[in-house]
């Protein structure tokens, strides 16, 4: 029995080494480090292509972007301007219509097999830069990015929806009425943001919000610290598996009804250490915290 296991392991190692040698030989002879099979459209993609350009639309209300690898930067400028420089294995849709700028690198494709050791798209400077003039705001912004950072500074949005696999999310100096985002791996930094609703779902990463005023905040963070400081929030709901939770809210303790539960860790409210479960019905504002492991600290100013 043991002899058979050894033979099996040696056979697997031999096949692995042979596969590695074949990859090296293939690449040395001009082969691609990537292979994507699109079953729906019956196409095979082996090399990415660079797409770059500049657009200057007369007006812009909505943004709809879906890219594999790119940093997205939205900021104020003298006029509407869009600069893009990124690679894609598919032929993307790039267009502006009905005051909506669209980039979609996966238009209706159904990739059922993906083999990719080509890291050039990550190492290269891939970006989409969008400037909006001082007297203009955005209505509906949708950003779907696999790898990259998203930075929005001083540009107001009525609705902002973000789906980011790996990267950092930085929002500053703007009114974002309805903010919904999903972040697999990366940190969130929010500074001087006003709005009605913020809903964030984070797998791994820190959440840090300062100097902001948002009516309702809902944060789900599997692994990472959560900090809200110098901010005014009417209702806040936090669900955390592992991490420290620190809230420093503008207002009085009597303004809030609090329900906090933690399985392993401690709860401190205005410097007073509580048990692993704390509940008080006081003001109309609400703080609800459910944490598995970590500590909870709540202060009011």
């Amino acid at each position: 029995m043991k002899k058979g296991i050894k033979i099996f392991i040696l056979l697997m190692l031999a096949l692995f080494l042979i596969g590695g040698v074949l990859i090296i030989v293939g690449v040395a002879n001009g082969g691609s480090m990537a292979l994507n099979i699109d079953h729906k459209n019956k196409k095979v993609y082996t090399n990415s292509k660079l797409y770059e350009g500049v657009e200057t639309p007369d007006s812009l209300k909505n943004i709809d972007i879906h890219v594999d690898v790119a940093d997205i930067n939205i900021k104020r400028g003298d006029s509407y301007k869009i600069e893009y420089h990124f690679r894609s294995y598919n032929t993307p849709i790039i267009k502006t219509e009905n005051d909506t700028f669209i980039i979609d690198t996966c238009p209706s494709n159904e990739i059922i097999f993906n083999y990719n050791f080509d890291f050039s798209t990550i190492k290269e400077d891939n970006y989409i830069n969008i400037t909006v003039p001082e007297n203009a705001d955005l209505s509906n912004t949708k950003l779907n990015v696999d790898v990259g950072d998203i930075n929005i500074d001083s540009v107001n949005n009525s609705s902002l929806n973000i789906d980011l696999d790996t990267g950092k999310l930085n929002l500053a100096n703007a009114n974002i009425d309805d903010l919904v985002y999903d972040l697999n791996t990366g940190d969130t930094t929010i500074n001087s943001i006003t709005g009605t609703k913020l809903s964030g779902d984070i797998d791994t990463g820190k959440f840090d919000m300062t100097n902001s005023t948002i009516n309702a905040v809902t944060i789900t963070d599997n692994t990472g610290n959560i900090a809200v400081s110098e901010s005014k929030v009417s209702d806040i709901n936090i669900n955390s598996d592992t991490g420290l939770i620190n809230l420093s809210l503008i207002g009085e303790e009597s303004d809030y009804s609090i329900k906090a539960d933690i399985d392993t860790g401690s709860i401190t409210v205005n410097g007073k250490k509580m048990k692993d479960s704390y509940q008080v019905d006081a003001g109309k504002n609400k703080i609800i915290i459910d944490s598995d492991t970590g500590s909870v600290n709540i202060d009011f100013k």
Side-chain angles (χ1 to χ4, degrees):
M1 184 67 179
K2 291 183 178 180
K3 185 178 179 180
I5 294 175
K6 289 181 179 179
I7 293 174
F8 177 78
I9 293 174
L10 290 173
L11 179 60
M12 291 300 100
L13 288 173
L15 291 174
F16 180 80
L17 291 173
I18 292 171
V21 171
L22 291 175
I23 290 174
I24 294 172
V25 171
V27 171
N29 285 275
S32 172
M33 288 291 286
L35 177 64
N36 296 275
I37 299 177
D38 176 6
H39 175 70
K40 184 175 181 179
N41 296 308
K42 297 180 174 57
K43 292 182 178 180
V44 176
Y45 306 93
T46 57
N47 290 295
S48 62
K49 182 181 177 181
L50 176 64
Y51 295 88
E52 57 183 343
V54 178
E55 296 191 18
T56 55
D58 294 329
S59 63
L60 185 65
K61 286 294 183 183
N62 308 306
I63 297 172
D64 191 348
I65 295 176
H66 185 182
V67 293
D68 297 325
V69 180
D71 292 338
I72 298 179
N73 305 294
I74 303 176
K75 61 182 181 179
R76 290 294 184 188
D78 295 331
S79 61
Y80 290 111
K81 185 178 181 180
I82 302 165
E83 300 175 284
Y84 56 88
H85 179 286
F86 64 90
R87 289 187 172 273
S88 177
Y89 291 98
N90 308 336
T91 301
I93 296 172
I94 304 175
K95 63 181 180 180
T96 302
E97 62 179 16
N98 299 322
D99 288 338
T100 302
F101 175 67
I102 300 171
I103 289 182
D104 189 355
T105 59
C106 303
S108 72
N109 285 354
E110 184 182 328
I111 304 294
I112 62 168
F113 178 79
N114 185 301
Y115 160 84
N116 192 348
F117 284 153
D118 181 8
F119 299 110
S120 61
T121 57
I122 298 177
K123 293 178 181 179
E124 190 172 351
D125 187 14
N126 299 287
Y127 60 83
I128 301 170
N129 296 333
I130 300 173
T131 59
V132 178
E134 292 292 341
N135 60 346
D137 298 328
L138 296 175
S139 295
N140 189 2
T141 300
K142 297 180 181 179
L143 307 175
N144 190 319
V145 181
D146 289 344
V147 179
D149 296 338
I150 296 176
N151 305 293
I152 300 177
D153 189 357
S154 304
V155 178
N156 300 332
N157 283 263
S158 297
S159 175
L160 176 59
N161 192 300
I162 295 173
D163 190 339
L164 176 59
D165 284 346
T166 302
K168 297 178 182 178
L169 174 60
N170 300 300
L171 307 175
N173 307 310
N175 178 269
I176 302 174
D177 193 47
D178 188 356
L179 168 59
V180 179
Y181 77 93
D182 191 314
L183 175 55
N184 288 342
T185 303
D187 295 338
T188 301
T189 302
I190 295 174
N191 182 34
S192 299
I193 294 294
T194 60
T196 302
K197 183 181 75 172
L198 184 159
S199 178
D201 192 336
I202 307 166
D203 286 345
T204 303
K206 296 185 296 183
F207 175 88
D208 190 355
M209 184 172 82
T210 58
N211 195 31
S212 297
T213 301
I214 301 175
N215 290 349
V217 174
T218 301
I219 297 297
T220 300
D221 194 342
N222 292 337
T223 304
N225 297 336
I226 298 173
V228 178
S229 60
E230 304 296 332
S231 296
K232 187 174 182 179
V233 181
S234 298
D235 296 324
I236 184 166
N237 192 320
I238 295 175
N239 191 300
S240 171
D241 287 344
T242 303
L244 308 178
I245 300 173
N246 291 297
L247 306 182
S248 180
L249 302 177
I250 297 174
E252 302 292 334
E253 183 178 353
S254 58
D255 296 335
Y256 288 85
S257 293
I258 304 173
K259 186 178 187 300
D261 294 290
I262 188 167
D263 293 339
T264 303
S266 61
I267 298 174
T268 304
V269 179
N270 263 354
K272 298 178 182 179
K273 193 169 183 178
M274 308 298 179
K275 296 181 180 180
D276 55 7
S277 181
Y278 175 74
Q279 183 169 350
V280 59
D281 295 323
K284 63 179 181 179
N285 299 335
K286 296 179 181 179
I287 298 174
I288 300 174
I289 297 175
D290 189 352
S291 175
D292 290 341
T293 303
S295 66
V296 176
N297 185 69
I298 305 172
D299 288 318
F300 300 93
K301 296 182 178 181

